[in-house]
Amino acid sequence: SQQGEEDPQALSIQEGENATMNCSYKTSINNLQWYRQNSGRGLVHLILIRSNEREKHSGRLRVTLDTSKKSSSLLITASRAADTASYFCATAQGGSEKLVFGKGTKLTVNP
Amino acid sequence: EAGVAQSPRYKIIEKRQSVAFWCNPISGHATLYWYQQILGQGPKLLIQFQNNGVVDDSQLPKDRFSAERLKGVDSTLKIQPAKLEDSAVYLCASSNRARLMSEQYFGPGTRLTVT
């Protein structure tokens, strides 16, 4: 079963615009992670936010976490064509390192 | 540091045949994972190893799938016999157990097509 659900399923924007993706989950978590997957390749870790954190930044990425609403958002600012990829949220629950992934958001950045 | 290595990158087999995938994790990473990613979905964990012991194999179809990590380093995942619904990308990942609940590093995956 998949814990996280990303929204929207697909997003198409112009280069330079900001892209926002949302993730909702069902059970309590230890941390939430965002990964990127370029077409036909493995996943690349982007950012990890712990359950006691509310916001985190990494370069052009900004992640927020609202544990009361069981949701997270990933903001990519000043998008580039190279940001075109699928983005997945993944949650780690309990004492396990097991990650449960959502179905992902497919982002297309048009030059 | 070198990343997670997987082979082969692509494999096409007929249903009822067997297939094996190989993974070499990042040096020093004690935890190794195998995921199945069906087209249009997120990865689903099949099995998790801690060194050479199994931590979680609750979603592994044990009637046809098997995995081992004999010396706590390389791992193989086998499917025998394959079904059409096994067509997917099989991803291997590793993580550094010393950093609890840390990020996972993924290999490029093996794309399996069962005809």
Side-chain angles (χ1 to χ4, degrees), chain B residues 47 49 60-62 64-68 76-80:
Chain B
I47 189 166
F49 290 95
L60 186 74
K62 298 180 186 62
R64 298 184 301 105
F65 285 65
S66 64
E68 60 183 13
T76 56
L77 175 70
K78 296 179 181 178
I79 307 175
Q80 182 179 6

Side-chain angles (χ1 to χ4, degrees), chain A residues 31 35 37 42-43 45 97 102, chain B residues 33 37 42 97 101 103-104:
Chain A
N31 68 64
Y35 287 80
Q37 185 176 39
L43 283 81
H45 179 264
E97 294 173 38
Chain B
Y33 314 80
Q37 185 177 22
R97 187 63 174 87
M101 292 180 281
E103 63 267 30
Q104 296 181 17

Side-chain angles (χ1 to χ4, degrees), chain B residues 44-87:
Chain B
K44 181 184 83 171
L45 180 69
L46 292 176
I47 189 166
Q48 176 185 343
F49 290 95
Q50 179 68 24
N51 295 309
N52 60 350
V54 175
V55 174
D56 186 334
D57 63 357
S58 57
Q59 298 191 95
L60 186 74
K62 298 180 186 62
D63 57 335
R64 298 184 301 105
F65 285 65
S66 64
E68 60 183 13
R69 193 183 184 200
L70 291 175
K71 296 183 179 179
V73 181
D74 293 9
S75 177
T76 56
L77 175 70
K78 296 179 181 178
I79 307 175
Q80 182 179 6
K83 293 185 176 181
L84 295 177
E85 58 260 36
D86 297 332
S87 293

Side-chain angles (χ1 to χ4, degrees), chain A residues 12-74:
Chain A
S12 182
I13 59 174
Q14 295 299 122
E15 214 166 19
E17 294 180 339
N18 295 342
T20 299
M21 287 158 270
N22 302 297
C23 169
S24 60
Y25 57 92
K26 298 175 183 175
T27 62
S28 61
I29 60 172
N30 290 309
N31 68 64
L32 185 146
Q33 303 179 30
W34 285 90
Y35 287 80
R36 182 186 73 224
Q37 185 176 39
N38 292 88
S39 179
R41 298 190 179 183
L43 283 81
V44 174
H45 179 264
L46 295 176
I47 197 164
L48 181 154
I49 186 165
R50 302 192 188 284
S51 59
N52 60 353
E53 297 176 311
R54 292 297 168 258
E55 187 171 313
K56 205 160 183 180
H57 296 255
S58 177
R60 295 184 294 113
L61 305 181
R62 172 178 170 253
V63 169
T64 62
L65 179 64
D66 186 335
T67 53
S68 66
K69 294 181 179 179
K70 292 186 171 57
S71 67
S72 173
S73 67
L74 170 68

Side-chain angles (χ1 to χ4, degrees), chain B residues 21-42:
Chain B
F21 313 126
W22 173 83
C23 172
N24 182 244
I26 292 173
S27 178
H29 281 192
T31 309
L32 184 147
Y33 314 80
W34 282 102
Y35 289 88
Q36 179 192 59
Q37 185 177 22
I38 293 173
L39 186 65
Q41 298 184 20

